[in-house]
Amino acid sequence: MTPTTPSRVLVIGLDGATFNLIHPLMAQGLLPNLARIMREGSWGELRSTIQPSSEQAWAAFMTGTNNGKFGVYGFQKRRPGTYQFDYVNGRSIDGRTLWRILSDRGKQVVVINVPMTYPPEPVNGVLISGLLTPSVHSKFTHPDGIYQELCEACGDYRIDVDIESGRMSEAQLLALADEALEMIRLRTCAALHLARTRPWDFFMVMYDASDRLAHKFWKYWDVNHPLHEPDKADTLGQALPRIYQALDQAVGELWDALVEEDVTVYILSDHGFGPMEKAVYLNRWLAQKGYLTLKQGVSANPREQAQRALRAGLRKAVHRLDSPIVSTMKRWAFAHFPNLKGALYSSVAFAQVDWSKTQAYALGTMGNIYLNLQGREPEGIVTPGEEAERLIDQLMADLRDLRDPDTGEPVFFAVYRGKDLYHGPHAHEAPDVVGVKTHRYHVVTADWQSGDEIVVRLGEGLHFVSDQSGQHALEGVLFAQGPGIRAGHQVQNARLMDMAPTILYTLDEPIPEEMDGVALTDLFEPDALARRPIRFTSEQVEGPARGPEDEQSEAEREAIRKHLAGLGYLD
Ligand SMILES: [Zn+2]
C-alpha cells in the first residue's frame, strides 16, 4: 500500500472529549488504544465553532463551512416576526453535508448518531440520526427498518441517555453512568453489525456519553473543583474515567474490526470540556445596564397571574408525565390561551419583557445577544444602520467590562460583532454581539428576577445549573492514523471545519470551493502530499440543498425541549 492510494475513512466522534481528561487517564495507562493512535499517528487540539455547542459544531464538521453559510447559531432559532423560537434540526443546515457530497459521487457511506442529522437524508448507504431526533418512534434511519434490524442484532439501540434537568440523587447518578456504559456497548454493536453487513467508503459513528457524563460528573472526578466531594471519589468519582475507558475500548474494537491497511481513522470531538464553576445571569445584566426593561406591575394583573400559574403547573406536568391526560390538558390549554404555546416553548421568560423599552436581549447558554431591531423583531425599537451599529459598539464595550468579582477577570475573554465573526448568506441571522467565555462559566438567560447578582458561584442556591459541574470548551481533540499520516506528530491550528475537506482529500476526492475549512496538510507526510496534490471543484448543485422545513409536531417539540433541558442547554 503506497500513500498515493486513495483510502477509506473511519471517523469516531466523541462528543465533548477533552485532553483535560485524556492526558491524565493516559498517563495512568487507562487508555491504551488512544495512546497507540497517538504513537502511530498524529494528534492535537481541534478548535470548535464559536459558540462551542454541539448543534453548530457538528454542522461545521459536516459542511466544512462557517456558521454564516450553514446558518445555525444555537439550539433555538428565532421564528421570524415573533419573540418565539423553534428548535433546529438537520433541515436548518444550509449546505451539503459530507455524506451528501460523497453519496452524490457514488461513494458508500454509513453514518451513525451524528447530531443534527434528523430527519435522515437519503444517503447512498445507511444514516441513523442522533441528537435532536425526537425519539426511536420517529422515522430516524435511512433506509427505514434499520432500528428493527439493530434491535434484532444487538438487543436494543439507544439514541441518547435520559437526563433530568434537576438535581439527581447518588443512586440516580450511578444508574445514569450504567445507562451510558450500556449505550456505548449498544452503539459499538450497531457499528460492528453495519460494518459487517454494508459496504462502505466512509464510516462514521458518534458517541455522546463523554459529553453527557462530563456535565454531571466533572466535580466528582476533579479534586480541584470547588464543589469536589472527597467522600464520593471512589463511587461517583470513578464514573467519568470508566466512561473514557469504555470509549477507548470501543475505539479498540472498531479499530480491530474495521481498520485495514487502506483505512484512515479520525477520532475527534466537537468541542472540549472543563470545570464549570459559576453562572452568569446575562439578561439580568442587560436589565441592570438599561438595555432590557421588564413590564411594570405584571404580577398585579390577576389574569396574567392565573396564566403564569397555569404555565408553571403545565410545565411541571409535562416534565413528569407523558400521559393522555396531559395531552388533553395541553390541547385544552392551547385552545384557551393562544399565547401559551409560545410561552411553553420559549426558553426565556419573554412574556415579562417590555419590548417598547428594550434594546437588546440574550438567548441561549453561551453568550449570544440580539438587538431588538425594527423590521426584524415584531416590536423592535432600534433603528437599523448607524443607531444599531453605535449600540453594538457600546454593548461590546460593556460586555468586555463584565468581570468576575472573585478574580477581576473578564467573564468573556473575547467579544465579537456577529457580522465580523461570520460570513455568508446567513451572516445577517447571527447574534449581533457574541461573547465567548471559558468552560468556567455557564450563561443563564431566563430567571432575571430572583436576585441582583450577575456572576454567581455554583452551589449557591442555583436551580437550573446546580447539578452540572462541567461545561464546554473551545479546544476539542483530534487523532488521526492511516496511510500517509505522520506518526507521533502533534498537529497545530486544526479546526473542526477543516475536517470535511481533510476527509475528502483522504478519499482522493476534490474539495468543493464553497468550503471554508482547509485540508489539514500538517497531518500528512510531505512526500504523500507531493504525490497526491489537493484538488478543488466548483461543481454546482442544482437548487438549494436545504429542503422546506417541516412543521414539528407538538409531541416532537416537547420531546426535544425536555431532552435539551436535561442536557443543560435550556434554562
Ligand atoms: Zn454538552
Side-chain angles (χ1 to χ4, degrees):
M1 182 65 48
T2 68
T4 55
T5 310
S7 76
R8 294 181 291 156
V9 166
L10 164 67
V11 178
I12 304 173
L14 304 175
D15 202 290
T18 171
F19 285 118
N20 288 336
L21 270 155
I22 289 171
H23 282 317
L25 295 177
M26 208 176 259
Q28 295 174 50
L30 298 176
L31 307 176
N33 293 299
L34 287 175
R36 178 180 157 200
I37 295 178
M38 226 157 154
R39 273 194 314 275
E40 297 181 7
S42 292
W43 62 282
E45 278 182 356
L46 187 64
R47 195 177 163 85
S48 185
T49 42
I50 294 176
Q51 307 284 1
S53 187
S54 293
E55 78 297 336
Q56 52 194 291
W58 287 115
F61 166 82
M62 65 181 84
T63 61
T65 63
N66 88 100
N67 304 51
K69 282 187 190 162
F70 62 74
V72 174
Y73 299 95
F75 279 109
Q76 296 159 301
K77 63 169 183 230
R78 289 171 306 172
R79 198 183 291 169
T82 73
Y83 292 109
Q84 294 171 11
F85 300 88
D86 289 309
Y87 300 114
V88 296
N89 66 20
R91 288 233 167 86
S92 313
I93 297 173
D94 194 0
R96 292 183 298 164
T97 60
L98 181 55
W99 27 97
R100 174 84 272 131
I101 293 167
L102 290 171
S103 293
D104 288 350
R105 295 181 188 171
K107 298 279 180 188
Q108 288 169 307
V109 305
V110 176
V111 180
I112 306 171
N113 209 253
V114 180
M116 294 287 279
T117 53
Y118 179 87
E121 45 179 324
V123 293
N124 183 26
V126 174
L127 188 145
I128 304 170
S129 66
L131 177 69
L132 297 164
T133 300
S135 79
V136 291
H137 306 299
S138 319
K139 187 187 171 312
F140 75 110
T141 69
H142 171 86
D144 232 351
I146 299 288
Y147 174 59
Q148 290 73 13
E149 183 182 330
L150 294 177
C151 286
E152 270 164 41
C154 302
D156 196 2
Y157 179 83
R158 292 183 201 160
I159 300 168
D160 205 344
V161 288
D162 210 12
I163 300 185
E164 290 296 321
S165 53
R167 191 176 281 279
M168 294 168 77
S169 70
E170 186 162 341
Q172 284 175 317
L173 285 167
L174 289 170
L176 172 64
D178 284 342
E179 199 193 326
L181 288 171
E182 176 65 1
M183 181 173 67
I184 293 170
R185 191 189 68 76
L186 290 169
R187 189 80 42 84
T188 305
C189 178
L192 293 174
H193 170 77
L194 291 171
R196 272 194 292 268
T197 54
R198 307 298 198 279
W200 57 273
D201 300 293
F202 174 82
F203 192 105
M204 175 162 185
V205 55
M206 221 292 292
Y207 293 89
D208 19 38
S210 33
D211 175 273
R212 308 299 181 261
L213 275 278
H215 279 294
K216 289 282 185 191
F217 287 83
W218 195 279
K219 68 178 176 185
Y220 300 113
W221 171 81
D222 180 358
V223 296
N224 295 316
H225 194 282
L227 297 178
H228 181 66
E229 298 173 55
D231 59 320
K232 297 198 173 124
D234 288 340
T235 51
L236 298 177
Q238 293 306 308
L240 211 36
R242 270 170 65 212
I243 290 294
Y244 268 67
Q245 280 181 276
L247 292 170
D248 183 82
Q249 194 191 330
V251 166
E253 284 176 46
L254 292 168
W255 180 301
D256 289 345
L258 275 72
V259 177
E260 294 165 18
E261 60 181 3
D262 68 327
V263 173
T264 299
V265 57
Y266 292 107
I267 299 170
L268 54 91
S269 67
D270 57 334
H271 53 75
F273 239 94
M276 172 169 107
E277 295 164 4
K278 291 167 188 182
V280 181
Y281 284 78
L282 202 52
N283 272 325
R284 189 184 290 170
W285 176 80
L286 286 171
Q288 285 181 11
K289 286 276 169 193
Y291 292 111
L292 182 148
T293 306
L294 293 177
K295 282 178 189 160
Q296 296 294 316
V298 168
S299 57
N301 180 333
R303 187 185 146 80
E304 285 273 350
Q305 233 168 10
Q307 281 197 17
R308 274 218 307 280
L310 177 63
R311 259 174 230 152
L314 207 56
R315 242 185 237 271
K316 279 196 189 117
V318 291
H319 262 294
R320 299 210 174 103
L321 290 165
D322 199 11
S323 71
I325 299 166
V326 171
S327 310
T328 312
M329 191 172 136
K330 275 163 74 177
R331 270 201 303 277
W332 174 85
F334 292 155
H336 286 79
F337 299 101
N339 295 331
L340 185 58
K341 210 147 77 172
L344 252 182
Y345 295 119
S346 162
S347 81
V348 192
F350 279 158
Q352 300 167 30
V353 174
D354 183 347
W355 293 107
S356 70
K357 295 174 188 154
T358 290
Q359 294 176 302
Y361 60 97
L363 180 69
T365 58
M366 291 287 169
N368 288 346
I369 298 176
Y370 294 87
L371 298 188
N372 188 27
L373 201 64
Q374 265 173 28
R376 186 179 69 184
E377 273 73 6
E379 298 169 57
I381 62 164
V382 179
T383 314
E386 225 174 280
E387 185 193 335
E389 297 309 314
R390 262 204 315 275
L391 186 62
I392 290 172
D393 286 335
Q394 190 191 331
L395 250 170
M396 289 172 69
D398 282 344
L399 199 62
R400 286 192 182 103
D401 235 27
L402 168 56
R403 285 168 195 276
D404 184 332
D406 294 329
T407 63
E409 297 287 320
V411 167
F412 295 98
F413 65 83
V415 176
Y416 298 96
R417 192 179 226 91
K419 59 181 155 204
D420 290 345
L421 190 57
Y422 309 109
H423 60 90
H426 298 283
H428 68 282
E429 298 160 19
D432 297 294
V433 174
V434 180
V436 191
K437 60 178 186 56
T438 70
H439 51 77
R440 297 198 185 278
Y441 303 97
H442 177 86
V443 168
V444 179
T445 49
D447 188 16
W448 42 52
Q449 288 180 313
S450 58
D452 296 328
E453 280 180 286
I454 303 300
V455 182
V456 180
R457 281 194 288 270
L458 292 190
E460 295 180 355
L462 283 179
H463 173 64
F464 291 109
V465 288
S466 57
D467 207 36
Q468 292 201 357
S469 53
Q471 192 49 266
H472 300 181
L474 281 174
E475 301 82 15
V477 304
L478 171 64
F479 300 83
Q481 196 275 344
I485 301 272
R486 295 164 78 174
H489 171 68
Q490 186 175 356
V491 65
Q492 307 287 343
N493 304 320
R495 302 166 303 174
L496 198 54
M497 70 162 91
D498 297 330
M499 291 315 300
T502 302
I503 290 165
L504 287 171
Y505 171 69
T506 309
L507 291 164
D508 200 21
E509 288 290 319
I511 299 164
E513 281 169 352
E514 78 229 22
M515 287 190 175
D516 299 312
V518 297
L520 293 168
T521 51
D522 188 24
L523 286 173
F524 296 87
E525 299 285 0
D527 62 331
L529 278 169
R531 265 183 297 209
R532 189 157 63 75
I534 296 167
R535 294 179 294 133
F536 295 92
T537 170
S538 56
E539 66 189 4
Q540 295 295 313
V541 241
E542 282 173 25
R546 174 149 69 171
E549 296 198 20
D550 283 349
E551 269 285 301
Q552 292 169 338
S553 76
E554 292 305 335
E556 286 179 337
R557 291 165 60 90
E558 178 52 22
I560 290 165
R561 189 208 62 75
K562 191 178 169 194
H563 192 66
L564 290 177
L567 302 182
Y569 291 122
L570 305 177
D571 57 358

